[in-house]
Amino acid sequence: MNHLSRHKIGIFDSGLGGLSVLRTIWKEISNIDFIYFADLNHAPYGRRSKKEVLTLSTQAFEFLLEKNCHAVVFACNTATSAAARFLRENHQIPIFGMEPAVKPAVLENPIETISVFATELTLREEKFHNLVSSLPTENEVLTVPCEGLAKLIDEDEWDLAWDLLNQKIRSVYPRSKVFVLGCTHYVFLKERILYNYPDVKIYDGNLGTANHIKKVLCLENCSDSQNQLDILLNTSNSHYVHLANRITKTITPNFTLSLTNTQVGNLHVQSN
């Protein structure tokens, strides 16, 4: 599909977890204009019904289409579960999604007990159950719903987020030492997990998604990054803004962060 001199790729999440996906993609491909949209006014999605998530995801997708994106990444497992299939059936542009990295965890750890940490909606959706049942495995797969964790991360309450996640880990450890992080927010706590539980293996879907995007769009490996980045947040909450700045600076020092409302346009623009 690489007939364009420069791709514009939209990345969408209910919050800031998708920045963990962007960070991985950024390292893999170059010469891309990225637009990252966080629907923080309606976050977190994990506690909402599938119908609500489908509506919100469709609105976010259409917002990115208005920005002339050539492809859209649902950097949110919950939104992928609820909306990606529907939108693919109704639109021609490439739509990439996330799914818990259960397959590599199972294939690389035969007969081990696998723990999947994710939102309740992701874990109860047919998409997840089909993924698990499709694997020829003797592994026991434990589902660990982590309601409230993504919101704590978005609100920059990472110590409280760790306390909550650590409680969840203790409910399965040491019975299980293979963890799948089924929400892009949780990836920000990956190093803390490994520091406190050095004998576990952790899987997430970020690199697999990045490689899939690279393959489908026929993009070259990143050698000298010429990427550009616009961050759009539909909130003026200072906690979200400061955290978005801090995380994004670990990806690139050069970006534009805008506070926007999808109905009435930009409210404020802050450049870095």
Side-chain angles (χ1 to χ4, degrees), residues 6-249:
R6 190 173 180 88
H7 284 277
K8 180 181 285 189
I9 298 178
I11 300 181
F12 153 67
D13 187 18
S14 62
L16 301 177
L19 290 173
S20 74
V21 183
L22 173 61
R23 184 166 57 189
T24 302
I25 297 172
W26 193 275
K27 296 175 182 178
E28 296 296 318
I29 56 180
S30 60
N31 201 38
I32 304 294
D33 294 330
F34 288 103
I35 297 179
Y36 182 93
F37 173 58
D39 185 20
L40 287 157
N41 273 346
H42 302 104
Y45 280 8
R47 66 185 182 186
R48 295 184 177 275
S49 68
K50 180 178 180 179
K51 183 178 180 180
E52 287 178 307
V53 175
L54 174 59
T55 298
L56 293 170
S57 300
T58 300
Q59 291 173 352
F61 175 78
E62 291 173 349
F63 177 63
L64 290 172
L65 288 187
E66 292 173 1
K67 299 294 182 182
N68 299 313
C69 292
H70 307 130
V72 173
V73 182
F74 276 39
C76 173
N77 294 78
T78 302
T80 300
S81 297
R85 180 177 178 179
F86 170 80
L87 291 171
R88 287 178 182 134
E89 291 173 348
N90 290 277
H91 295 273
Q92 295 299 314
I93 74 166
I95 299 172
F96 302 94
M98 305 294 299
E99 69 176 21
V102 178
K103 183 175 181 179
V106 164
L107 295 179
E108 294 174 19
N109 302 276
I111 77 173
E112 295 289 333
T113 299
I114 312 294
S115 294
V116 184
F117 300 82
T119 67
E120 288 185 4
L121 181 56
T122 294
L123 294 174
R124 71 171 179 257
E125 271 301 294
E126 181 181 1
K127 184 177 188 296
F128 174 75
H129 291 283
N130 289 342
L131 171 65
V132 173
S133 63
S134 70
L135 299 174
T137 175
E138 297 180 3
N139 300 71
E140 181 182 11
V141 177
L142 305 177
T143 57
V144 187
C146 300
E147 289 313 301
L149 183 55
K151 185 173 179 60
L152 288 173
I153 292 171
D154 277 339
E155 293 178 344
D156 204 9
E157 297 285 356
W158 287 22
D159 287 339
L160 292 177
W162 168 248
D163 290 341
L164 174 57
L165 179 58
N166 196 28
Q167 291 177 10
K168 300 293 184 178
I169 291 173
R170 289 175 178 174
S171 72
V172 296
Y173 179 90
R175 175 185 175 190
S176 170
K177 296 184 179 181
V178 181
F179 298 166
V180 175
L181 303 182
C183 172
T184 56
H185 286 76
Y186 306 170
V187 178
F188 290 126
L189 299 177
K190 184 175 182 178
E191 291 183 3
R192 195 175 297 201
I193 298 172
L194 291 171
Y195 177 82
N196 287 277
Y197 298 91
D199 58 339
V200 306
K201 295 181 180 179
I202 300 178
Y203 294 82
D204 65 74
N206 290 4
L207 183 58
T209 297
N211 287 332
H212 184 51
I213 292 169
K214 187 163 53 176
K215 179 179 179 180
V216 172
L217 299 183
C218 301
L219 301 174
E220 297 180 357
N221 290 331
C222 183
S223 53
D224 180 22
S225 178
Q226 298 293 323
N227 296 327
Q228 301 291 327
L229 174 59
D230 292 327
I231 304 286
L232 305 177
L233 312 180
N234 64 353
T235 179
S236 58
N237 184 301
S238 61
H239 293 293
Y240 296 143
V241 175
H242 292 155
L243 181 59
N245 266 295
R246 194 171 77 236
I247 295 173
T248 307
K249 286 176 181 176

